[in-house]
Amino acid sequence: MRNTNLKNEEVPALRFEVVAQDEAARAGVIKTRRGEIETPVFMPVGTAGTVKGIRFEELESTDLNARVILGNTYHLWLRPGIEVIKAAGGLHRFIGWNRALLTDSGGFQVWSLGSLRKISEEGTEFRSHVDGSLRFLSPEVSMEVQAALGSDIVMVFDECAPGQASHEETQRSMELTTRWARRSKSAFDRFQNEEADSGRANTTDDLSGRQALFGIVQGASHLDLRRRSLEQTVEIGFDGYAIGGLSVGEEKSTMFEVIEEIALRMPRDRPRYLMGVGTPEDLVEAVARGVDMFDCVLPTRNGRTGQAFTSRGKLNIKNAQFAKDPRPLDESCQCSVCRRHSRSYLRHLYTAGEMLASILLTHHNLAFFLDTMRRVRQSIRSGDFPKFRREFMERLGANGE
Ligand SMILES: [Zn+2]
């Protein structure tokens, strides 16, 4: 039970503890109101209230054991809409998932609409891709929607600058993000006070049961702007910090330059989240630069287009070379798909247009991403991360495709 002697402000929404560090790589535990999350962690993306192609039982199974998944504010707000989700008692109950949920703010999705949206100081106006209606998303609306969704980790509403944006353009965008972060924080606090005792979420003795709020560092590839964005974001004060606006068309070397510059300057006692990145090798490389949390659509999206991620690199199941291949997708993977099915069978399913192809490839891909993170955590805890990283990269480099 909550200690009623403490005011909500005095009890944090989440706790983060670093339990081991190997050079810049850290292994930790995030304690949320819905269970503990060991880091570094990969969060499967559940865009519209579903991690596409996979049942929640499987996400919870020992094969995958995902501790936290993502929901997209933009998509859920447009369809089914917050009234439907509120009526169900929040997003967890609506989708049937009792573990932690992180929701993004919708900022990236509306930004991705390109010429279909209009950004002003107040927020972003755009046309819904669902019914063509004119909609308006702002820091206040995003916080209201995320409060209604009841996610455990809420993201501030931010603006993303294109990877190739000029210094001037990026600075304008970054400063807007800072002003939106301040507005997000005050709107968030207002909604938390309203919902403080709704009793919707399970909570533990030393957590307030409130939602947690993460700030986002922007600034494209301009390191001085990234540093300033970080300073301004930390000054506002958040439960965790994210690096946004990467993997949006910039060079990979630029992406790692930004991560290297920013991650280690982020508060050591808060989780560091790299948004929307990336391949298994990107994840391992970012962990080596001090990042704790990741999300990406690659394992699910590519699974649906016939691409498998393996310890020896990517494999395209459509290729004729797999027609009679009796081996599993990945000979060193222990997932239920690799234990049971051959490449030959998976290729047959895919070419026949069977939906099971997408389901099985998605399952394996998620298992591979989550298992990679599990091995990353173990290697950091045992002080073997540099060796793990070297061998992981060598094996990927040795792939036959
Ligand atoms: Zn597998």
Side-chain angles (χ1 to χ4, degrees), residues 322-335:
F322 301 127
K324 295 177 182 171
D325 193 335
R327 293 175 295 170
L329 284 172
D330 185 344
E331 285 171 294
S332 44
C333 179
Q334 294 301 312
C335 86

Side-chain angles (χ1 to χ4, degrees), residues 121-186:
E121 182 67 34
E122 194 49 34
T124 307
E125 192 180 67
F126 64 97
R127 283 211 179 270
S128 159
H129 74 278
V130 175
D131 58 9
S133 63
L134 204 57
R135 306 294 289 250
F136 184 74
L137 197 52
S138 66
E140 291 75 17
V141 174
S142 175
M143 293 306 112
E144 186 183 2
V145 174
Q146 293 184 77
L149 295 174
S151 51
D152 305 292
I153 300 175
V154 168
M155 300 303 299
V156 297
F157 188 70
D158 62 332
E159 214 244 326
C160 185
Q164 322 301 335
S166 69
H167 193 275
E168 198 187 343
E169 193 186 343
T170 307
Q171 180 164 355
R172 222 174 17 240
S173 162
M174 182 277 279
E175 284 169 354
L176 179 63
T177 285
T178 299
R179 293 193 295 277
W180 282 1
R182 273 191 213 106
R183 281 169 53 192
S184 293
K185 178 94 186 305
S186 41

Side-chain angles (χ1 to χ4, degrees), residues 80 232 384:
Q232 294 173 351
D384 285 333

Side-chain angles (χ1 to χ4, degrees), residues 329-330 333-339 363-365 367-368:
L329 284 172
D330 185 344
C333 179
Q334 294 301 312
C335 86
S336 57
V337 177
C338 289
R339 286 200 309 268
H363 184 105
H364 161 80
N365 282 349
F368 180 68

